[in-house]
Amino acid sequence: MQAAHDHAAHAHGHDAHAHHPSGIMRWVQTTNHKDIGTLYLIFSLTMFFIGGILAFGIRAELFQPGLQFWRPDFFNELTTMHGLIMVFGAIMPAFVGFANWQIPMMIGAPDMAFARMNNWSFWLLPPAALLLITSFFVPGGAPAAGWTIYAPLSTQMGPGMDLGIFALHIMGASSIMGSINIVTTILNMRAPGMTLMKMPLFVWTWLITAYLLIAVMPVLAGAITMVLTDRHFGTNFFNAAGGGDPVMFQHIFWFFGHPEVYIMILPAFGIVSQVIPAFARKPLFGYASMVYATSSIAILSFIVWAHHMFTTGMPAAGQLFFMFSTMLIAVPTGVKVFNWIATMWKGSMTFETPMLFAVGFILVFSMGGFTGLILAITPVDIQLQDTYYVVAHFHYVLVAGSLFAIFAGTYFWLPKWTGHMYDETLGKWHFWLSLVFFNVTFFPMHFLGLAGMPRRIPDYAMQFADFNMIASIGAFGFGLSQLLFVLGVVKCARGGGVKAPDKPWEGADTLEWTLSSPPPYHSFETPPVVK
Amino acid sequence: MAAEQKSNASPLQVIKAVFWSFLGIRRRAEYEKDAVSLKPAQVIIAGIIGAIVLVLSLVTLVHFIIS
Ligand SMILES: [Cu+2]
């Protein structure tokens, strides 16, 4: 409002970055890291619910054997789109949202390095999501080749696949720009005295994640571009009849896909590494080894990709190589879990909601890590490939891992972001219901997989009926429990609850807690000095 | 950057730092020494060489198993 007076002389201030437009234009034009962080988080939450509705569709169909609701090919669209939306629309943007909010505050900077590019990185996402969702309504429907969009399935589908490919291209461009921004911010905008080795672990994990993104998103773009030219321009990259090789698609995809797994889990490690010391009231045990373990995981993630492809027919030497290299990743991951537990050891712990989610993360994510180790064993993997065991494994990693860490981080920083405390009772209910229903949903899937139930099918044999019914009930419960999360966040954002002090958590010691709650528009106008 | 006077690390120290990083553990004191003396370029080059050595040793191991 007051800006209208300042700029009354100009018809429109086209380059006035010092004034804040109000209403919708504030969000469209914003170059502020906090506004953009909020946009990312809202986008991610929206996509999380869209992906969740698709999951409801999947679990409703699988509630009983036989075909109840969907045509089989629509069921494939549901599984594919659930995967694509959750990976590219929910988990990744959520972590970028955290990065936007937290990194400048944690390193003592006023904002991100490239404020306008930051705006562009975000505003690429809604059109991409729109393309992806529109694909449901074109002839032939949405992509149905699985989120891995393997050729030759993906070269045969209708125009929905093209929309999916364009959406991935745009989201990839957004991720790359976001990563460049994050790397530049971290390397150039740290407060005086904050050497690399003094950076909070969340910043470290994002620095490494950003490098991973810059390295592998172009690989994904290459793979899907080749699918696109195979589909429309007569190339034969993946067409065996034309001299191409469909297995090559899998190699290229998983060279992106495995580091992608770490892109979705390293920032989660970072959040948990902030939350655990704060509520154990002890500094993080083995800070240096945490940094080293993160880099180690990142490097190793590039030499394991073919563990997703043991059944494609690989010489024994290849099978052994990828089996050994995959198992090596357990070492740095184990170091991390050990360090978190050592941090809690003899700490004076309290269990507010962020800590509950962080401890829950350690327990349940470790389970996903172990099943990953089991799947790394080639002969076991050949038996379990494409069964529900794999579905159970990666949901333990991505839901109990990434998503729980996102919840932990949200409850941890909500008081800082909004200036109000969240509702602790509501948060605790959200945690316990999520934990219980998560396990009710996904634990039985291990048994289903071991018994041989294949994934991505709308119907199944009678002997799988009981566990599927349990899993479906768990899934409905898990989905509905997430409404408590929305309720808690909305209450907090609308200013309900107690006013938050600058530092609501006694044991938290990073720079963002020295700012007011909510923090000023330009986080640190004068850089703090770090001893 | 230019303001900071950096003592140069010996190749051995770089190799040792990278070795421990692959394992994911490092003593705090050693780490602090690394952090002041190692240059980013050194670490990246040593990291890439380390990755190549790791791959080659795995390949050798596999070679002995299947031959
Ligand atoms: Cu993998």
Side-chain angles (χ1 to χ4, degrees):
Chain A
M1 291 292 153
Q2 80 279 27
H5 292 288
D6 306 345
H7 291 269
H10 324 283
H12 293 286
H14 20 255
D15 200 9
H17 80 271
H19 95 175
H20 321 311
S22 54
I24 182 88
M25 287 320 274
R26 166 182 170 195
W27 299 103
V28 174
Q29 298 183 345
T30 183
T31 52
N32 181 272
H33 74 99
K34 300 189 199 75
D35 287 354
I36 294 172
T38 305
L39 286 171
Y40 266 109
L41 291 170
I42 292 172
F43 173 81
S44 152
L45 188 64
T46 314
M47 295 305 274
F48 173 62
F49 274 92
I50 295 174
I53 288 167
L54 302 181
F56 264 55
I58 294 169
R59 286 318 315 176
E61 179 59 61
L62 294 176
F63 188 71
Q64 285 186 318
L67 292 178
Q68 271 79 235
F69 297 103
W70 320 120
R71 287 172 289 109
D73 47 335
F74 183 71
F75 183 86
N76 287 343
E77 292 172 31
L78 287 180
T79 54
T80 304
M81 293 294 283
H82 167 74
L84 288 173
I85 286 177
M86 287 304 199
V87 168
F88 294 100
I91 301 284
M92 290 171 71
F95 283 130
V96 184
F98 276 100
N100 261 290
W101 258 101
Q102 288 308 123
I103 288 175
M105 293 203 289
M106 291 174 114
I107 63 173
D111 206 308
M112 297 290 280
F114 302 119
R116 281 155 197 267
M117 189 165 81
N118 204 11
N119 171 293
W120 182 225
S121 324
F122 171 75
W123 281 107
L124 281 176
L125 288 180
L130 214 59
L131 275 180
L132 202 55
I133 292 162
T134 311
S135 68
F136 273 115
F137 307 102
V138 299
W147 84 278
T148 52
I149 50 175
Y150 277 3
L153 265 179
S154 54
T155 54
Q156 293 164 356
M157 280 176 178
M161 182 58 74
D162 300 315
L163 295 180
I165 288 172
F166 289 139
L168 286 183
H169 271 133
I170 298 172
M171 286 171 167
S174 157
S175 286
I176 291 170
M177 282 192 279
S179 304
I180 292 171
N181 212 341
I182 287 166
V183 169
T184 314
T185 307
I186 296 174
L187 292 185
N188 293 297
M189 295 178 69
R190 296 193 308 279
M194 177 163 290
T195 54
L196 283 176
M197 53 175 279
K198 282 188 184 148
M199 293 196 311
L201 216 75
F202 177 72
V203 180
W204 255 116
T205 53
W206 243 115
L207 180 64
I208 292 165
T209 304
Y211 275 114
L212 282 181
L213 274 166
I214 295 170
V216 300
M217 290 314 287
V219 178
L220 173 69
I224 57 179
T225 307
M226 284 187 270
V227 171
L228 194 70
T229 61
D230 268 15
R231 288 166 57 80
H232 297 293
F233 305 109
T235 57
N236 289 298
F237 292 112
F238 307 126
N239 177 12
D245 182 0
V247 175
M248 183 54 89
F249 178 85
Q250 300 187 23
H251 278 292
I252 302 171
F253 181 86
W254 286 113
F255 189 77
F256 147 80
H258 193 84
E260 168 72 10
V261 173
Y262 291 96
I263 288 165
M264 290 189 283
I265 202 68
L266 291 182
F269 288 170
I271 291 175
V272 170
S273 304
Q274 301 301 138
V275 172
I276 300 255
F279 292 92
R281 292 164 180 78
K282 270 175 68 190
L284 185 70
F285 181 89
Y287 170 89
S289 73
M290 284 303 225
V291 173
Y292 279 39
T294 311
S295 347
S296 176
I297 291 171
I299 294 170
L300 288 173
S301 74
F302 283 101
I303 57 166
V304 297
W305 76 90
H307 61 207
H308 297 273
M309 304 167 53
F310 285 141
T311 51
T312 56
M314 195 187 295
Q319 295 182 340
L320 285 171
F321 175 85
F322 286 107
M323 174 170 135
F324 293 155
S325 59
T326 304
M327 293 184 135
L328 282 178
I329 295 195
V331 178
T333 314
V335 167
K336 278 180 164 292
V337 173
F338 174 81
N339 284 343
W340 289 321
I341 294 171
T343 307
M344 290 190 278
W345 184 256
K346 291 188 173 171
S348 51
M349 289 197 285
T350 50
F351 293 92
E352 285 88 349
T353 311
M355 184 63 162
L356 285 176
F357 270 108
V359 176
F361 167 95
I362 298 177
L363 287 173
V364 197
F365 168 79
S366 299
M367 175 78 199
F370 280 129
T371 51
L373 215 49
I374 290 165
L375 287 169
I377 303 166
T378 312
V380 177
D381 181 79
I382 288 172
Q383 294 302 313
L384 294 176
Q385 162 97 23
D386 269 340
T387 68
Y388 261 82
Y389 193 89
V390 178
V391 177
H393 156 68
F394 68 72
H395 282 92
Y396 266 79
V397 174
L398 289 177
V399 179
S402 310
L403 186 64
F404 275 21
I406 289 169
F407 289 149
T410 308
Y411 286 113
F412 188 53
W413 283 308
L414 255 186
K416 176 57 61 189
W417 296 345
T418 62
H420 292 272
M421 296 305 286
Y422 60 88
D423 186 334
E424 192 65 60
T425 322
L426 207 58
K428 288 204 164 108
W429 272 101
H430 175 224
F431 168 73
W432 286 109
L433 289 175
S434 294
L435 185 76
V436 169
F437 280 127
F438 168 78
N439 283 292
V440 172
T441 312
F442 293 105
F443 204 76
M445 291 188 187
H446 292 110
F447 305 133
L448 287 171
L450 289 169
M453 178 170 163
R455 64 195 278 209
R456 294 170 180 150
I457 47 138
D459 189 9
Y460 48 82
M462 278 308 291
Q463 71 266 30
F464 302 130
D466 291 350
F467 281 136
N468 267 298
M469 190 177 277
I470 296 172
S472 286
I473 292 169
F476 299 143
F478 185 84
L480 293 175
S481 309
Q482 302 321 307
L483 297 175
L484 295 183
F485 175 68
V486 182
L487 186 64
V489 171
V490 169
K491 263 177 77 176
C492 198
R494 297 188 60 179
V498 208
K499 277 202 82 54
D502 292 356
K503 196 175 97 166
W505 316 120
E506 199 188 346
D509 62 352
T510 38
L511 281 176
E512 75 270 31
W513 306 110
T514 63
L515 292 168
S516 59
S517 296
Y521 194 72
H522 295 293
S523 301
F524 284 97
E525 304 242 14
T526 34
V529 176
V530 183
K531 305 178 294 315
Chain B
M1 277 294 138
E4 289 168 40
Q5 201 57 47
K6 288 194 173 174
S7 58
N8 266 350
S10 68
L12 189 72
Q13 198 194 341
V14 185
I15 291 166
K16 260 163 67 186
V18 168
F19 172 80
W20 285 111
S21 83
F22 273 65
L23 215 59
I25 46 180
R26 189 79 168 139
R27 234 180 251 118
R28 178 98 207 181
E30 303 267 348
Y31 173 73
E32 266 155 26
K33 227 165 63 191
D34 294 347
V36 287
S37 58
L38 301 188
K39 291 201 200 85
Q42 281 180 313
V43 180
I44 291 166
I45 292 167
I48 292 169
I49 294 172
I52 293 169
V53 170
L54 177 72
V55 169
L56 289 181
S57 44
L58 275 178
V59 168
T60 318
L61 176 68
V62 165
H63 180 79
F64 277 113
I65 292 172
I66 58 170
S67 63

